[in-house]
Amino acid sequence: MKKTLMVAALTGVFATAAHAQSSVTLYGLIDAGITYTNNQNGHSAWQATSGTINGSRWGLRGAEDLGGGLKAIFTLENGFSIMNGTASQSGRMFGRQAFVGLASDQFGAVTLGRQYDSVVDYLAPLSNTGTQYGGTIAAHPYDNDNLNNSVRFNNTIKYSSVNYAGFKFGGTYSFSNSTDFANNRAYSFGGSYSWGGLNVAAGYLQLNNDVPNAPFTNANGPASTAAGAQTGEWTFLAGRQRTFGGGVNYTFGSATAGFVYTQTNLSGTANGGISAKQSGTTAGVGFNGDSARFQNFEGNIRYALTPALSLAGAYTYTRANFGGGVNPNYNTVALQSDYALSKRTDVYLQGDWQHISSNSDNIGPFLNGLSSASRTQDQVAVTVGMRHRF
C-alpha cells in the first residue's frame, strides 16, 4: 500500500514538472470600426470595417523546454474579418504565420514555415504603418515597401539572433520548391540596435521571378496563391523586386519621434503593374516600361498625453516612377487618438488623407485597406473603432 502511494505521488510530481516545461497560449486581437470615405470610385461611403489599424487575428503559440537553454517553439496564426467571419490572406487557415523551430538562449532561433521577412521584423516597428499607431490604412502607397506585410512568405527558413547588448539581426530564405531553384524565390536580411531612447534599424528584401508576368502565382512558391494573380497576395507584376530602407526613432519623456526611408526598385515590368487588390481598381494599375521605382520619406511622432490617452501622427512623401514619363507624387497624412479602457481594450479615432499629383488621369489615390481608389486627386477616410486583445 505504501509503495502504491509513493508511485502515485511521484507520478504526480513528474507530470507537474513535464507540464511546467511546455506551454501553449491562445491569443488574438479584434479590430472593428465604422469608416467614412469621401470618394471610392466616385462615391462617398460609410462602411463597417475590420482591421483598419491592426488585422483581426487569433493564434496558438507554444514552447517546450528541451534543456540546456534550448526549446522547441511554434506559432499558428489565423487572420479573419470580424464583420463576416471569413478568413483573410486568400482564405488560408493560418495565413498570417505558421512555423515551427528551435530557439536557443545563447545562439538565437531557426524556424521553418510561412513567415514575415526581415524588413517587417526590424524596420516596420519604426514606421507608423508597422505599429498600432497607424497600421493598415496608414501604409505607404500600395504598401510598396511591404512594411504593412501585405506579402508573407511560404517555404521560409528564418534565423533570428538573440539580443547582443541592444543589437539584433536576422535573415530569411524562401524556397521556390521547384526544380528551377533560382526562380520564384525570395530572401531578406536586417537588423536593429537600441540604446537608451535611441532605436535604429535597416532591412533588405528581394523577390526573384524570372518568368515574365507570372509573379509568384505557382501554388508552391514563396508568395503564391492558388486563387490566381488578381486575388493573390502579390503587390507588383515584375520580374524582380528589391526593397531596402532604414529608420531611426528616439524616445524622450512621453514622446517618440522617428524617420523612415524606404526604396523599392522593380525590373522586368514590361506589361506589368500593381495588382488590383493593392491598387483598388478592377484591372490594376499598369507600368509603362521595363522598370519602376518608389521612394518613401516618412516622419512620425507618438505622444502619451496620459497613461490612457495617446496621440500619434505621420506624414509620408512618396516619389514614384511608373515609366513612360508617368511620375506620380503622393502626400499621405495619418492622425490618431487612442483611449485605453483597460489593458486589453481601447477605442480610437483615426483620420487618413492622401493626395496625388500626377501627369496621368488613370492614377488616383488609394488608402490601403479600402474597397476602391478615388476618382479625384484626394482620398480621405475617418474611422471610429475599438480593439480588444486576448
Side-chain angles (χ1 to χ4, degrees):
M1 183 65 180
K2 290 181 179 180
K3 290 182 178 180
T4 302
L5 291 173
M6 185 177 294
V7 170
L10 290 174
T11 301
V13 169
F14 288 129
T16 301
H19 178 73
Q21 291 174 353
S22 62
S23 65
V24 176
T25 302
L26 171 67
Y27 67 94
L29 182 151
I30 300 170
D31 182 337
I34 303 294
T35 300
Y36 167 77
T37 311
N38 72 322
N39 192 306
Q40 290 194 54
N41 198 27
H43 304 279
S44 61
W46 288 91
Q47 296 171 290
T49 50
S50 175
T52 299
I53 298 179
N54 299 120
S56 298
R57 84 286 303 261
W58 70 271
L60 296 169
R61 182 185 297 116
E64 180 189 12
D65 188 352
L66 302 176
L70 184 67
K71 59 184 176 182
I73 58 174
F74 78 89
T75 294
L76 301 172
E77 189 172 282
N78 167 270
F80 65 93
S81 169
I82 191 62
M83 292 304 167
N84 56 27
T86 57
S88 303
Q89 291 81 48
S90 303
R92 289 178 169 88
M93 179 178 292
F94 297 112
R96 291 183 62 88
Q97 299 182 84
F99 63 83
V100 66
L102 295 172
S104 165
D105 294 340
Q106 184 177 0
F107 300 108
V110 176
T111 50
L112 290 157
R114 179 174 169 84
Q115 303 181 76
Y116 298 141
D117 63 84
S118 297
V119 173
V120 171
D121 287 341
Y122 298 100
L123 182 57
L126 275 63
S127 72
N128 201 36
T129 182
T131 68
Q132 63 180 347
Y133 300 102
T136 302
I137 200 168
H140 300 159
Y142 313 119
D143 194 21
N144 64 79
D145 46 19
N146 205 44
L147 291 186
N148 193 53
N149 52 68
S150 293
V151 181
R152 294 166 172 86
F153 294 91
N154 302 331
N155 314 326
T156 298
I157 181 169
K158 174 188 285 191
Y159 171 74
S160 305
S161 77
V162 296
N163 190 326
Y164 295 102
F167 177 60
K168 297 184 291 184
F169 63 93
T172 68
Y173 185 90
S174 304
F175 291 85
S176 65
N177 275 10
S178 73
T179 54
D180 190 1
F181 181 80
N183 186 49
N184 200 24
R185 65 174 179 173
Y187 56 88
S188 67
F189 52 85
S192 65
Y193 176 72
S194 297
W195 183 76
L198 178 68
N199 190 6
V200 296
Y204 178 85
L205 167 66
Q206 180 163 325
L207 290 77
N208 288 350
N209 183 63
D210 297 329
V211 178
N213 302 329
F216 308 103
T217 53
N218 172 8
N220 295 318
S224 67
T225 171
Q230 290 299 321
T231 58
E233 297 175 35
W234 63 275
T235 301
F236 299 113
L237 186 62
R240 181 169 297 169
Q241 175 179 336
R242 295 184 177 95
T243 295
F244 61 89
V248 57
N249 278 180
Y250 188 77
T251 299
F252 45 98
S254 299
T256 299
F259 174 79
V260 173
Y261 170 80
T262 62
Q263 180 169 319
T264 292
N265 296 320
L266 305 169
S267 59
T269 57
N271 301 315
I274 305 164
S275 73
K277 180 178 180 181
Q278 292 301 121
S279 64
T281 60
T282 302
V285 172
F287 295 132
N288 301 299
D290 198 46
S291 63
R293 185 179 66 183
F294 294 84
Q295 290 180 290
N296 305 284
F297 306 81
E298 177 192 319
N300 58 66
I301 189 166
R302 309 155 195 171
Y303 181 72
L305 196 63
T306 71
L309 179 62
S310 68
L311 304 175
Y315 166 72
T316 302
Y317 173 66
T318 302
R319 295 193 305 190
N321 185 338
F322 289 4
V326 179
N327 304 298
N329 297 318
Y330 301 81
N331 295 274
T332 307
V333 175
L335 299 172
Q336 182 196 103
S337 62
D338 182 90
Y339 185 77
L341 300 174
S342 70
K343 291 183 178 180
R344 298 191 299 169
T345 303
D346 62 302
V347 291
Y348 63 84
L349 173 65
Q350 178 151 329
D352 297 88
W353 168 74
Q354 187 174 102
H355 173 80
I356 183 172
S357 56
S358 171
N359 50 2
S360 172
D361 295 333
N362 298 322
I363 302 172
F366 177 57
L367 292 167
N368 194 41
L370 297 182
S371 300
S372 56
S374 173
R375 288 188 178 180
T376 69
Q377 288 184 292
D378 298 271
Q379 189 170 58
V380 177
V382 179
T383 301
V384 177
M386 70 171 289
R387 286 176 291 192
H388 177 73
R389 301 163 180 83
F390 60 89

